């Protein structure tokens, strides 16, 4: 996708996404055979419900039909959330991951799987699970030490609502 088209799409879509109190995470335009696929990834502090994605998809579709930003070629529009195992690339992503398990690939080549306890402007406070019955340990990691990070999916963790009950 050309920078100009990407910029035009972002300018057009950000107000529509913001009106639903969502963040525009990513816009991706790719080819699938003869058609193009426009993927719009959105998120919020509380996640994104399927109905909200459907409403936003209709709004975006109508708006794109009224403009020439996509040109005359056919395209398929997909509006979705980033998924449970999303990469953490922005400060707000780390904040949303508080309480979740994350896998960090460190700049020094190391790897760390830990629970995110707190986030500030400089980095993360983590709880590293204990190995072989040992207690978890606290660790501080600065953002500049992180090469890549991703939320880890936990199938057996209790939901916050269950813990409070």
């Amino acid at each position: 996708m050309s920078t100009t088209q990407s910029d035009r799409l972002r300018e057009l879509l950000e107000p529509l996404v913001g009106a639903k109190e969502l963040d525009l995470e990513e816009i991706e335009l790719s080819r699938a055979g003869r058609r193009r696929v426009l993927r719009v990834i959105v998120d919020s502090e509380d996640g994104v419900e399927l109905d909200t994605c459907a409403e936003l998809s209709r709004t975006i579709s109508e708006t794109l039909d009224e403009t020439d930003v996509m040109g005359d070629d056919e395209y398929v529009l997909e509006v979705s959330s980033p998924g449970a195992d999303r990469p953490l690339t922005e400060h707000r992503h780390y904040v949303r991951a508080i309480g979740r398990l994350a896998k960090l690939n460190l700049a020094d080549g190391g790897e760390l799987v830990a629970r995110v306890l707190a986030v500030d402007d400089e980095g993360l406070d983590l709880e590293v699970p204990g190995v072989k019955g040992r207690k978890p340990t606290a660790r501080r990691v600065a953002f500049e030490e992180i090469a890549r990070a991703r939320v880890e999916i936990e199938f057996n963790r209790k939901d916050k609502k269950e813990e409070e009950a």
Side-chain angles (χ1 to χ4, degrees):
M1 175 166 53
S2 70
T3 303
T4 306
Q5 185 176 28
S6 175
D7 292 342
R8 288 182 63 203
L9 280 167
R10 186 162 288 280
E11 285 177 27
L12 185 67
L13 300 182
E14 274 185 332
L16 301 175
V17 172
K20 297 280 186 192
E21 298 182 4
L22 300 172
D23 295 317
L24 179 59
E25 295 292 345
E26 187 178 344
I27 300 171
E28 178 187 307
L29 187 61
S30 60
R31 285 237 168 249
R34 289 189 210 171
R35 292 187 181 187
R36 295 178 299 162
V37 177
L38 174 61
R39 285 185 187 86
V40 179
I41 310 298
V42 297
D43 204 3
S44 79
E45 293 292 323
D46 302 318
V48 182
E49 293 184 6
L50 187 58
D51 289 344
T52 304
C53 281
E55 291 170 18
L56 183 59
S57 180
R58 284 189 290 276
T59 302
I60 289 173
S61 181
E62 290 169 4
T63 303
L64 290 174
D65 288 348
E66 294 169 1
T67 69
D68 66 343
V69 72
M70 291 300 292
D72 294 328
D73 294 340
E74 288 185 22
Y75 66 92
V76 175
L77 174 63
E78 295 178 3
V79 177
S80 66
S81 66
D85 62 343
R86 63 129 12 101
L88 305 173
T89 57
E90 304 278 337
H91 186 271
R92 69 177 178 263
H93 299 161
Y94 288 97
V95 171
R96 290 178 186 157
I98 291 174
R100 307 271 317 267
L101 204 59
K103 179 178 180 179
L104 309 176
N105 294 84
L106 303 176
D108 67 6
E111 186 176 282
L112 178 64
V113 176
R115 190 160 314 282
V116 180
L117 299 177
V119 179
D120 58 32
D121 291 341
E122 287 81 41
L124 313 171
D125 291 326
L126 304 169
E127 179 184 76
V128 181
V131 180
K132 295 183 181 177
R134 293 187 182 148
K135 293 188 184 239
T137 57
R139 179 159 176 192
R140 174 81 181 166
V141 176
F143 285 120
E144 61 263 9
E145 295 178 68
I146 303 170
R148 285 189 321 262
R150 177 177 297 278
V151 169
E152 288 284 285
I153 297 173
E154 296 179 82
F155 292 106
N156 58 354
R157 181 151 196 257
K158 288 184 180 179
D159 187 307
K160 285 181 186 177
K161 291 176 185 171
E162 289 179 33
E163 290 175 4
E164 292 170 1

